[in-house]
Amino acid sequence: TQSLAYGLIAGSELADIDLLFASYPITPASNLLHELSSKRGFRVKTFQAEDEIAAVCSAMGASFAGSLGVTSSAGPGIALKAEGISLAVASELPLVVVNTQRGGPSTGLPTKTEQSDFNMAVFGRHGDTPIPVIATSTATDCFDVAIEAVRLAIKYMSPVMILTDGYLANASEPWKIPDFDSLKPFRVNYYDDPTDFKPSIRDEETSARVWARPGTPGMEHRIGGIEKSFETGDISYDPANHQKMTELRQQKVAQIATDIPLQEVCYGENEGKLAVLGWGSTYGAIHQAVKKAVAEGMEVSHIHVRYLAPMPSNLGELLSKFDSILIPEMNTGQFVKMIRSEFLVDAQGLNKIAGQPFKIGEILAAIVEKYRDL
C-alpha cells in the first residue's frame, strides 16, 4: 500500500499535476486513503466521500477541472463505481481506479485475498466500455504500476484500473526508493488554443480528446455521458455516429498495445514444453516453483503478464512456442478463458479459491503432474 501510494504521488509529480484521491473506506483498500492523507505536502488532496458513487464522481470532477482524479475500493465498491467509470469512458476523462481485490461474492471474505475481479475489471460496465487494466505482481511492483497507470490515463484520456489484492496490500519486502530524477516525466499539456475550440478535437496519434480546463477564456465547454458527435462534441443520436464513437473508444484502448513493452519470459527459455503463465500476486509462488522445476531438469518457463487489457502484442506468438500452458489463478479460471479465446491455445487452469495465496509446493506439484503428461 505504501509503495502504491508513493507511485501515485510520483506519477502526479512526473505529470506535473495536482492529485485528488477520493475514496470510501473498505477492507482491504482503506490503508491507501490513510497513507495518502498524510502526504499533503506533495500536491495531494484526499477526500473521504459518503459512499462509493460519490467518491468516483468526485474524482471525475477533479479530472474535469484539470487535476488527476484517483479513486479506490475493493470488489463490492468497484461494482458500485461501475456506472461512474462508464461516465469517465464516455466523457473521456483521465481517472485511475485502484481495485484491491478480496474474497467474494458480496461481503464474502473481507480480510482474505482473491483474484476474482478480473472479469469485472475487463468487462464489468454497461455498454461497450473498454478501459486499460494493469496488475501489480509484488509489493514493490506497485510503485511502477501506479506510475504507469497515471501515464496511460493522462495520455489516452481514459480511466485505468489497477488490480492488486489483499495479499499484496498487506505484504512487505525490502525496497530501495529510486532516484526521482531517473524517472521519465510525462508532463500534461492542457489544450490552450481557443481558436475554433471544440471538446471533440483529438490527438492524431492517440485518438485522445484534448484536455481543456474549464474556465479558460474562449474554451468554455460541456461534456457528459450522452453520446456526442465525433465532429462537434454536441449531443448526437445519429446511428452512424454512435457506431463510429463506440469503435473509436475501443480502438483508443486497443492501440495502447503499441505503447507498452513486449511480453518477456520471467524465468526459463523462450520456448519449450511448458509455460506457467500468471498475473498479479501469484508471481512469487510461480517464480519459485518454476525455478525448482528447472533445477530438477524440467523444461519450464515463467511468463507473468502486467498488462491485462490490452495484452502485449506479442503474447500470443510467445505462448505458441510452448507445448502446454498452465495458468494458476485465485479464482475459478477467468484469465485462462481470456487466453483461450484470444489466442486459441489449450491453456489449462490451476484454481485456488480459499482466501489464501498459492504455496510454492502447490504450483510445483501441478507442474510435475502436467509435465508428466507431456
Side-chain angles (χ1 to χ4, degrees):
T1 299
Q2 188 178 37
S3 172
L4 190 61
Y6 286 8
L8 291 170
I9 294 169
S12 65
E13 291 289 343
L14 291 168
D16 192 21
I17 189 174
D18 291 346
L19 185 153
L20 173 76
F21 183 81
S23 186
Y24 179 77
I26 184 173
T27 303
S30 300
N31 284 345
L32 188 56
L33 175 60
H34 301 163
E35 187 69 35
L36 286 170
S37 66
S38 65
K39 300 296 185 292
R40 279 175 263 181
F42 293 96
R43 299 171 64 175
V44 174
K45 297 179 178 65
T46 53
F47 170 54
Q48 180 176 319
E50 67 268 30
D51 56 45
E52 301 283 4
I53 298 171
V56 68
C57 290
S58 298
M60 274 190 288
S63 292
F64 178 57
S67 298
L68 175 66
V70 182
T71 190
S72 78
S73 194
I78 298 296
L80 290 167
K81 294 181 193 290
E83 184 180 0
I85 298 170
S86 293
L87 174 58
V89 171
S91 55
E92 298 185 72
L93 286 169
L95 176 72
V96 175
V97 182
V98 180
N99 181 353
T100 307
Q101 300 166 96
R102 69 189 209 183
S106 187
T107 311
L109 304 174
T111 62
K112 303 301 180 182
T113 197
E114 210 162 88
Q115 289 181 303
S116 52
D117 290 351
F118 175 89
N119 283 341
M120 181 166 67
V122 178
F123 306 112
R125 291 158 298 281
H126 61 283
D128 279 306
T129 48
I131 64 171
V133 180
I134 53 180
T136 61
S137 58
T138 67
T140 57
D141 183 54
C142 291
F143 178 80
D144 295 323
V145 166
I147 292 175
E148 179 68 344
V150 174
R151 183 186 76 88
L152 293 176
I154 288 171
K155 183 172 181 178
Y156 293 92
M157 293 292 283
S158 170
V160 177
M161 187 172 292
I162 298 174
L163 280 180
T164 182
D165 58 40
Y167 174 59
L168 284 182
N170 296 300
S172 63
E173 61 178 316
W175 180 48
K176 184 178 180 180
I177 298 176
D179 179 3
F180 187 77
D181 291 335
S182 69
L183 303 176
K184 186 178 180 180
F186 43 87
R187 288 185 173 83
V188 173
N189 292 313
Y190 298 106
Y191 195 78
D192 59 1
D193 182 4
T195 306
D196 298 324
F197 168 74
K198 299 177 292 185
S200 59
I201 298 172
R202 296 186 178 276
D203 183 284
E204 292 183 2
E205 178 188 352
T206 64
S207 298
R209 76 168 186 86
V210 294
W211 198 358
R213 283 181 285 192
T216 305
M219 299 172 63
E220 297 83 358
H221 65 283
R222 294 178 179 177
I223 56 173
I226 300 290
E227 187 62 282
K228 295 161 288 296
S229 165
F230 174 83
E231 300 294 340
T232 67
D234 296 334
I235 290 174
S236 172
Y237 277 78
D238 179 71
N241 178 77
H242 180 55
Q243 173 134 0
K244 183 171 185 174
M245 290 296 292
T246 301
E247 292 172 348
L248 176 101
R249 289 186 286 264
Q250 183 180 44
Q251 179 57 35
K252 185 173 74 167
V253 173
Q255 71 182 8
I256 292 174
T258 65
D259 192 23
I260 59 177
L262 295 176
Q263 183 65 50
E264 297 181 350
V265 174
C266 302
Y267 190 85
E269 302 298 324
N270 289 332
E271 57 184 37
K273 289 188 175 181
L274 176 64
V276 184
L277 177 65
W279 69 275
S281 66
T282 56
Y283 178 89
I286 292 175
H287 203 68
Q288 296 304 318
V290 169
K291 288 178 72 173
K292 288 177 180 289
V294 170
E296 294 175 14
M298 289 180 261
E299 280 185 47
V300 187
S301 298
H302 176 201
I303 302 171
H304 216 76
V305 180
R306 169 184 283 182
Y307 299 89
L308 302 176
M311 290 185 280
S313 58
N314 70 322
L315 181 58
E317 179 185 358
L318 182 59
L319 295 178
S320 70
K321 295 179 180 179
F322 292 89
D323 297 337
S324 188
I325 310 293
L326 177 67
I327 303 181
E329 292 185 84
M330 291 186 290
N331 58 45
T332 56
Q334 298 180 20
F335 185 50
V336 69
K337 291 184 177 66
M338 170 75 86
I339 293 296
R340 289 170 68 96
S341 66
E342 286 288 324
F343 305 119
L344 301 180
V345 296
D346 186 21
Q348 302 297 316
L350 173 64
N351 308 112
K352 182 175 183 178
I353 319 102
Q356 299 291 329
F358 275 103
K359 296 178 180 178
I360 297 169
E362 293 170 334
I363 296 177
L364 180 59
I367 290 173
V368 171
E369 182 180 355
K370 186 73 176 174
Y371 199 83
R372 190 183 298 126
D373 296 335
L374 294 177

